Amino acid sequence: MREKLEKPVAVTRSSLPPLEEYVEMLKPLWDSAWLTNMGDYHEEFRRQLMEYLKAEHLELFVNGHMALELAVQALELTGEVITTPFSFASTTHAIVRNGLTPVFCDINSYDYTLDVSLIERLITEKTSAIVPVHVYGNLCDVEAIQEIADRHHLKVIYDAAHTFGEELDGQGVAGFGDVSMFSFHATKVFHSIEGGAVSYRDLRMGERLYQLKNFGIMDSETVEYVGANGKMNEFQAAMGLCNLRHVDVEIEKRKKLAARYQERLSGVRGIRLCRRNPRVKMNYAYMPVVFDGYKKNRDQIFHELARHNIHARKYFYPCINSYACYRGRFDEHETPVAAGISRQVLTLPLYADLDPAVVDMVCDIILE
Ligand SMILES: *Cc1c(COP(=O)(O)O)cnc(C)c1O
C-alpha cells in the first residue's frame, strides 16, 4: 500500500518572496512611519498593477470582498441582481449586504460560469445588474453578457477574484463589464497577504470608490457617503510589490503542473476537466476535476486523498443558494447544474512550488 505523506499537502500554499526582499521593502516604512492611508507603496502598487492587468483605472482595497461590496455600493444599484450560486460566499454576500436581492442563474456544465442562455428569462423590471464570476479562471462569455446587459440597461460587475493577469485575445480581463473585482488573498495566484482591487470604466466611479473605502469622507469637514474602512495598508502593498516581481515565474510553474494533471487525467471515462478556451491566457489558479459516472464518487476520492495526507478541496460545495444563512429564501433545485457540479467537483492541490511527484501521486490515487 502507498505510504501516507509525512507532511500534509494542502490544496494551495501561499507564495512568499525571499524574506530579505520583503525586509528591504519595510525599511523605508520605519523612516516615514506612514503605515496606511494611501502611502507611497499603495500608489506604486496601484500603478504597477494597472500596467500588469492592462487596466485603465484601478482602486485598491484591504481585501477582495470589501472591494466587491463597495463596488456594488458605488454603482447605486436597486432591486434584483442576477448572479451565480457556484462561487465563494463573498459574491452573494456582497449583494445581500448592500440590501439587494440576489437572483440565482444556473451555470453551464463545461466551464461552470453563468449559462448565458438562461439570464434573460430571469430579468424583471426590478433587475439592475448582473454579477458573474470567472470561476477557476475560466472566463465568462463576456460578449454575450455585455450584449444582454446593454439590451436591458444593466450594470455588469465581474467577480474576477480567480483571473489575476488573464487575457482574452490579448485584452486584460480588467476591461470587461462596468467593474471587475480582483482578490489578492494569500491563497490566490497572486497575493498581498490580504488585498483586493476594482478596475472600472467610468472615471466618476474612481472618486466614489476612493471615498467609500475611506468612510465616505470627502474632506476634513465633509462626509458624503456611508462608507466603510476598506483601505489597503503599506505592508500589504509592499508584499504585493514583491510578489508582482515573481508572479510570471509562478504562473509558468503552475502551468507545467496543470499540464501534468491534464496529461494523466484527460480521456479517463467519468473524469471531466475544464474545457480550455484557446483565446484565453490562463493563470492556472485551480485544478478542478469533476467526477461524473466515475468508478468512485467525489467524496470517496476526497477521503482517499486525505488518507494519504493530501487535502483537496470541495470548491465550491455547497452552492450558495443552499447556505444555512439563506435557508428558506433560495432553493438549490432551481439551479440543478450548479447543484450537481458542486457534488462532483474537487479542486486538486496546485501551487507553484508543489512537487511534481505529488501530482503523480494524486493521479495514481485517483486512477487506481
Ligand atoms: C477569494 C474570493 C473572493 C473574496 O476575496 P477576499 O480577498 O478573500 O476577500 C470573492 N470571490 C471569489 C470567487 C473568491 O475566490
Side-chain angles (χ1 to χ4, degrees), residues 81 106 245:
V81 174
D106 210 351
R245 297 176 197 144

Side-chain angles (χ1 to χ4, degrees), residues 97-111:
R97 288 170 60 83
N98 270 289
L100 302 162
T101 304
V103 174
F104 292 105
C105 178
D106 210 351
I107 59 173
N108 68 58
S109 57
Y110 51 87
D111 67 11

Side-chain angles (χ1 to χ4, degrees), residues 63-65 87-88 90-91 133 159 161-162 181 183-185 188 195 286 315-316:
N63 58 50
H65 179 79
S87 183
F88 186 55
S90 172
T91 316
V133 180
D159 179 332
H162 293 182
M181 175 279 281
S183 163
F184 313 137
H185 184 259
K188 305 292 205 261
Y286 300 92
Y315 195 63
F316 302 102

Side-chain angles (χ1 to χ4, degrees), residues 77 136 211 229:
L77 306 175
Y136 306 132
Q211 284 149 7
N229 182 356

Side-chain angles (χ1 to χ4, degrees), residues 142-327:
V142 290
E143 286 130 350
I145 289 170
Q146 195 58 55
E147 204 227 330
I148 293 166
D150 288 344
R151 194 148 7 109
H152 297 273
H153 308 290
L154 306 177
K155 300 286 187 202
V156 181
I157 300 141
Y158 280 106
D159 179 332
H162 293 182
T163 39
F164 182 83
E166 291 198 347
E167 295 176 2
L168 178 70
D169 298 330
Q171 188 191 346
V173 293
F176 300 121
D178 293 275
V179 302
S180 290
M181 175 279 281
F182 294 88
S183 163
F184 313 137
H185 184 259
T187 55
K188 305 292 205 261
V189 166
F190 167 81
H191 77 87
S192 57
I193 310 172
E194 296 251 14
V198 172
S199 61
Y200 56 94
R201 221 190 264 165
D202 182 352
L203 262 180
R204 284 167 303 181
M205 273 293 285
E207 215 168 289
R208 211 172 285 167
L209 287 169
Y210 187 93
Q211 284 149 7
L212 282 174
K213 75 174 178 185
N214 191 27
F215 306 99
I217 293 171
M218 290 289 284
D219 58 53
S220 59
E221 296 184 5
T222 321
V223 180
E224 185 125 328
Y225 304 106
V226 183
N229 182 356
K231 302 184 301 289
M232 174 182 280
N233 68 52
E234 292 290 275
F235 293 77
Q236 292 176 286
M239 180 61 85
L241 283 164
C242 286
N243 281 337
L244 203 51
R245 297 176 197 144
H246 306 285
V247 69
D248 286 338
V249 173
E250 300 243 321
I251 290 173
E252 206 46 46
K253 287 187 187 168
R254 284 172 173 273
K255 182 179 180 176
K256 289 209 180 82
L257 295 162
R260 202 168 175 117
Y261 273 125
Q262 190 90 18
E263 197 180 304
R264 295 284 313 273
L265 299 176
S266 67
V268 177
R269 248 175 78 175
I271 292 184
R272 223 159 63 221
L273 306 176
C274 281
R275 196 160 86 188
R276 297 284 190 215
N277 182 347
R279 294 170 60 195
V280 176
K281 180 182 149 205
M282 296 286 294
N283 66 10
Y284 306 94
Y286 300 92
M287 186 65 215
V289 177
V290 167
F291 298 95
D292 183 8
Y294 189 57
K295 57 190 174 189
K296 288 184 222 155
N297 67 33
R298 188 270 310 267
D299 288 352
Q300 288 169 320
I301 302 274
F302 175 83
H303 289 298
E304 193 57 26
L305 289 169
R307 220 166 55 74
H308 291 86
N309 220 359
I310 296 169
H311 304 280
R313 194 170 165 205
K314 299 177 194 178
Y315 195 63
F316 302 102
Y317 175 81
C319 281
I320 297 175
N321 48 3
S322 66
Y323 281 4
C325 59
Y326 294 128
R327 199 164 289 150

